[in-house]
Amino acid sequence: MSEPYVGEIRMFGFPRVPTGWLPCTGGLYAISQYDALFNLIGTTYGGDGVVTFATPQLSGRVPIHQGTATGLSSYVIGQMAGTESVTLLPTQIPQHNHSMTATPSSANATSVSTTVQLGAVTSDTMYVTDITGATSFITAPQSTQPSGGNSPHDNTMPTLTVQFCIAWAGIYPMQG
């Protein structure tokens, strides 16, 4: 493995932290012990800047490049964003209607099932088993119930877990 730059972040496919590296778990470290790394990242990821600083917290997170692009949000280095689960609000669901299908055919069934529709009421029947020629109508909001249950859904893209580490030993990157 080539010598890393101090502050370089790499992924490792094994669970131990290599010599010269720290885990990217948001841990606090002594500035006096890792002064070169602190000189580069400061308190971007946490710490008091006097005695401690923190490594980036990449546990359960996807890294994203700083800056912006056309049509995208702007992100500054060290900014955390996103969430693992989301409860959609009515304003986030595409506009749609819940229609009800009915037919002018005379009703011939007395109970609700997955094979019947509303029909023209005759005596004690109100459902029809043959929906040939049925027409969909937008009904009053009171006649259909909303769907959903305000439960969050998983917002995590497909992932593969690896370990992110940041180098505290190596080549100090020069500006320019």
Side-chain angles (χ1 to χ4, degrees):
M1 177 165 56
S2 63
E3 188 172 5
Y5 285 104
V6 174
E8 178 181 341
I9 295 174
R10 287 189 189 172
M11 292 183 284
F12 294 95
F14 47 83
R16 74 176 198 283
V17 178
T19 303
W21 297 78
L22 294 171
C24 289
T25 57
L28 291 176
Y29 294 92
I31 294 170
S32 60
Q33 192 172 355
Y34 303 102
D35 60 333
L37 179 57
F38 171 73
N39 189 25
L40 289 169
I41 67 172
T43 57
T44 300
Y45 306 103
D48 63 15
V50 177
V51 178
T52 64
F53 72 102
T55 59
Q57 169 55 286
L58 283 169
S59 298
R61 299 209 161 264
V62 176
I64 186 171
H65 188 67
Q66 69 177 345
T68 191
T70 304
L72 300 175
S73 298
S74 180
Y75 294 94
V76 296
I77 196 160
Q79 177 182 350
M80 294 177 83
T83 185
E84 284 190 27
S85 65
V86 173
T87 301
L88 293 177
L89 302 173
T91 56
Q92 296 168 314
I93 299 171
Q95 185 176 15
H96 65 284
N97 294 314
H98 291 255
S99 62
M100 178 182 289
T101 303
T103 179
S105 300
S106 295
N108 59 2
T110 58
S111 61
V112 177
S113 74
T114 58
T115 61
V116 300
Q117 290 290 342
L118 288 174
V121 177
T122 58
S123 65
D124 65 342
T125 59
M126 83 184 269
Y127 304 101
V128 63
T129 54
D130 179 9
I131 59 169
T132 305
T135 305
S136 293
F137 298 95
I138 306 257
T139 59
Q142 299 86 340
S143 67
T144 54
Q145 296 297 316
S147 297
N150 284 342
S151 298
H153 72 275
D154 183 25
N155 197 39
T156 308
M157 69 175 102
T159 59
L160 173 67
T161 302
V162 296
Q163 176 175 221
F164 286 93
C165 294
I166 188 168
W168 62 265
I171 303 167
Y172 191 86
M174 304 308 279
Q175 281 189 327

